[in-house]
Amino acid sequence: MQPQQPYAAPAVAGQPRKRTGAVVLSLMAGLLVGVAGTGAAWMLSADTAPAGGGPEADARAACRALDGFDPAKYTEKGPTGEIALNRYAAADSLSASAALGDARYEPLAEAVRGSRQRFSMVFRIDATVKKDLDRARTFCEDL
């Protein structure tokens, strides 16, 4: 009598499922949401924020964050890239808050949001992203 062999499931022919893209996109989305919250909290707690807050203060803080954002550093690895990522996210969150509080700031929020949405589709700072960033910066100059 021979010892009983352990059961092994039959091999299934076919290709393994590729989930790398979905996993990467999920991680990127989670990172962006976390960074946006962190950036907004960082900007709101800064000592240079005007007293009283409100939509105008949010718009000015968004402009300060945008002023410190260097698109060339956005894709760098390490602290330099993370700082750029945080400033970009903070500008987006704060401009959205300003627009919710006062419709006058909607063009700023639309420009920043548009640039970030475009970047999330192409994963680079292309002409459309630059155009939206320039529009946001022009709005900031007029504040």
Side-chain angles (χ1 to χ4, degrees):
M1 189 179 228
Q2 288 188 355
Q4 203 172 24
Q5 295 292 326
Y7 175 76
V12 177
Q15 296 179 343
R17 294 183 356 173
K18 295 183 180 181
R19 299 183 309 181
T20 306
V23 170
V24 169
L25 286 176
S26 296
L27 289 172
M28 290 282 294
L31 177 67
L32 289 175
V33 168
V35 166
T38 302
W42 172 69
M43 288 302 296
L44 289 172
S45 67
D47 290 338
T48 58
E56 183 178 356
D58 286 344
R60 290 186 184 282
C63 290
R64 280 194 311 276
L66 197 57
D67 189 45
F69 169 64
D70 183 354
K73 295 179 180 178
Y74 189 73
T75 56
E76 286 186 23
K77 295 190 183 304
T80 301
E82 290 177 32
I83 289 168
L85 179 75
N86 286 332
R87 287 182 177 157
Y88 201 17
D92 189 20
S93 295
L94 289 163
S95 64
S97 293
L100 288 170
D102 188 332
R104 292 180 295 169
Y105 302 113
E106 187 60 36
L108 173 62
E110 286 177 359
V112 177
R113 181 180 35 232
S115 71
R116 291 198 66 218
Q117 287 173 344
R118 173 68 182 174
F119 181 85
S120 70
M121 291 189 302
V122 298
F123 296 105
R124 61 185 160 78
I125 306 289
D126 67 0
T128 304
V129 174
K130 286 180 184 176
K131 181 180 171 187
D132 285 337
L133 284 171
D134 289 344
R135 223 177 55 195
R137 288 185 167 126
T138 299
F139 185 91
C140 289
E141 289 172 3
D142 296 336
L143 274 181

